[in-house]
Amino acid sequence: MSPTVSVIIPVHNGSKTLRACLAAVYAQRHPVTEVIVVDDASTDDTREIAAGFPCRLLTSDRNTGPAAARNRGIRASAGELLFFVDSDCAPEPDALGNALAILREHADVACVHGIYAVQPLFDDGPVEAYRLLHGHHWRLRNIGRVRTTLFAVCVIRRSVFAEVGLFDENLRASEDVELGDRMTEEHGIVLTDTVVCRHDDDSHLGRLLRKQFGRSQLLIPVALAERGPAGIRANGPVGLLSAGLVPPAVPLGLLDPALLAVPLGLLVLFVVADPGLLRFVIRQRGPGFAVFFYGVHLLVQLAVLAGAVAGGLRHLVDRNFGPARVATGKPGR
């Protein structure tokens, strides 16, 4: 007999994408037992959209973040397996079936998560294209057995939460990464390119940079709490370091034009630090787009570095900023 599957979709102001997300969930070739939409205090017509589908809608009048929304969905669900889908994602029809196949074939695997497609859910321009190309590539680069969980599109055994606890509600970002760190070797994690979703990503540069700065503030607190080696990383240390050195190196050119070779050299190092990414971008969109890609990529890396520094300093003065380091309860049935 096939295991029961509960789909959990946390959402906040998801009116643009929720209809496409739910349509994709109900179009899965492998049947699902129940679909639970957890509305985290939306102020748009998210609830009305959810009401147009045969799903269960849980609502809140106070925004508590994705960790708390997912926990509420877990407690309300009954499935042996939980299929988490972000509201801005539309899984391909075979996503759930492919994840279940991996769980059947490998008894020691407890969690299977997938990758973003290169094609967007809605085409909103070049900034979104940058995001999807980068997001697809770094996930593809890490497929296989991993230590990190990413819950944009993810199937996990319910028993995991009974043993390691729920999501840390103290975190507004990296809550899935922190959960994966609490999973032991007995709860294997697989990142696969057979579980694919189309994603509606950030399309406005300013909004993207603000989000990256905010989310990156938790990088150092979460890393300090990790029990083992770092898991999946979207950006390599050489690329981050060279990006961070470009701005302070630019003023050298004011002292001597010949010294402009220093920031230019750092820019070259930044671009070639991940040659696979460079080849991938050129192959997908051509050299012209690659110039745009790396211009945006540089700004994103600077936002990540600035956020990490700000978050590290914030953690020094407030040790409550970061993981709570305690399990957040157990799932109900």
Side-chain angles (χ1 to χ4, degrees):
M1 179 181 293
S2 296
T4 53
V5 179
S6 297
V7 182
I8 298 174
I9 305 172
V11 58
H12 174 68
N13 290 342
S15 61
K16 178 184 176 184
T17 60
L18 182 60
R19 184 174 285 105
C21 172
L22 283 166
V25 164
Y26 283 104
Q28 292 298 299
R29 296 193 180 104
H30 190 285
V32 300
T33 308
E34 62 179 349
V35 178
I36 299 173
V37 175
V38 187
D39 177 64
D40 194 17
S42 293
T43 56
D44 60 5
D45 58 349
T46 286
R47 297 180 185 183
E48 289 75 11
I49 292 170
F53 290 83
C55 60
R56 181 179 176 189
L57 176 63
L58 306 179
T59 63
S60 173
D61 294 327
R62 183 173 66 90
N63 181 262
T64 53
R70 289 190 179 114
N71 285 346
R72 191 176 180 195
I74 294 168
R75 293 188 181 102
S77 66
E80 300 164 79
L81 298 174
L82 305 179
F83 183 21
F84 288 89
V85 182
D86 281 356
S87 64
D88 55 4
C89 293
E92 295 296 327
D94 60 356
L96 175 58
N98 289 343
L100 295 182
I102 293 174
L103 291 174
R104 282 195 301 269
E105 293 168 9
H106 304 280
D108 64 321
V109 171
C111 176
V112 177
H113 54 106
I115 66 174
Y116 291 157
V118 173
Q119 300 78 21
L121 183 56
F122 302 109
D123 190 349
D124 295 318
V127 172
E128 182 181 43
Y130 153 77
R131 286 288 289 162
L132 290 173
L133 285 173
H134 184 238
H136 179 89
H137 179 265
W138 69 257
R139 286 173 175 82
L140 196 63
R141 185 182 61 211
N142 286 284
I143 59 171
R145 296 270 183 154
V146 295
R147 287 190 58 253
T148 302
T149 53
L150 301 170
F151 271 70
V153 55
C154 173
V155 179
I156 187 169
R157 300 186 195 274
R158 185 184 191 86
S159 58
V160 170
F161 296 103
E163 295 186 33
V164 307
L166 304 184
F167 290 96
D168 185 344
E169 296 182 12
N170 203 43
L171 299 176
R172 287 274 183 152
S174 299
E175 73 285 343
D176 47 359
V177 175
E178 190 277 336
L179 177 75
D181 184 62
R182 278 188 270 134
M183 293 170 63
T184 66
E185 295 300 325
E186 297 174 359
H187 307 295
I189 305 168
V190 168
L191 173 60
T192 176
D193 59 352
T194 66
V195 175
V196 180
C197 70
R198 287 177 296 130
H199 180 48
D200 186 62
D201 220 315
D202 298 297
S203 58
H204 299 282
L205 182 58
R207 189 181 306 162
L208 168 61
L209 297 178
R210 288 191 298 272
K211 182 184 291 186
Q212 290 299 303
F213 176 80
R215 288 182 172 178
S216 298
Q217 291 187 40
L218 284 165
L219 288 176
I220 290 177
V222 169
L224 290 174
E226 285 183 336
R227 296 178 303 156
I232 296 173
R233 291 291 182 261
N235 305 292
V238 175
L240 277 170
L241 179 61
S242 56
L245 291 174
V246 169
V250 169
L252 293 175
L254 300 176
L255 302 175
D256 184 344
L259 293 177
L260 284 174
V262 177
L264 289 174
L266 289 168
L267 278 173
V268 171
L269 179 59
F270 167 68
V271 171
V272 302
D274 186 348
L277 176 61
L278 176 60
R279 291 192 297 268
F280 176 72
V281 173
I282 292 175
R283 185 168 64 248
Q284 290 289 324
R285 297 293 294 263
F289 187 84
V291 174
F292 170 83
F293 179 98
Y294 279 97
V296 175
H297 196 43
L298 176 64
L299 295 175
V300 168
Q301 302 313 291
L302 293 175
V304 168
L305 287 168
V309 171
L313 294 174
R314 189 173 171 185
H315 182 65
L316 284 176
V317 299
D318 180 9
R319 289 309 176 97
N320 290 323
F321 179 71
R325 296 179 177 82
V326 293
T328 311
K330 304 293 181 180
R333 291 300 297 265

